[in-house]
Amino acid sequence: ATREKLGAADGQLLIAILPGSRESELKLTAPQLAGAMQLLEQQYPGQLRFVVAVPEGAAVRVRDLFPGT
């Protein structure tokens, strides 16, 4: 049920990304995390599902930093 809610297909590896919620944390970590996500997706196309977990108040700021999640 959780995999369905998060959009993870059977057989996909579900990976949680935890970038933090403070502006300073996001500025430092988001570009590197997003880059790592892109590299992993290129290496394992269709096999991974990334879920970016942040507090509700930070979701709007984070959405643009992690497109497609």
Side-chain angles (χ1 to χ4, degrees), residues 16-27:
I17 304 296
L18 309 168
S21 60
R22 294 184 184 103
E23 195 66 34
S24 60
E25 292 171 330
L26 291 171
K27 284 182 182 179

Side-chain angles (χ1 to χ4, degrees), residues 17-65:
I17 304 296
L18 309 168
S21 60
R22 294 184 184 103
E23 195 66 34
S24 60
E25 292 171 330
L26 291 171
K27 284 182 182 179
L28 289 173
T29 63
Q32 287 81 15
L33 290 171
M37 290 166 59
Q38 288 178 334
L39 289 173
L40 286 167
E41 184 58 39
Q42 289 171 1
Q43 184 82 24
Y44 305 98
Q47 298 177 44
L48 309 174
R49 174 68 173 135
F50 295 100
V51 177
V52 180
V54 294
E56 212 171 294
V60 172
R61 292 179 295 162
V62 172
R63 195 167 285 126
D64 291 338
L65 301 171

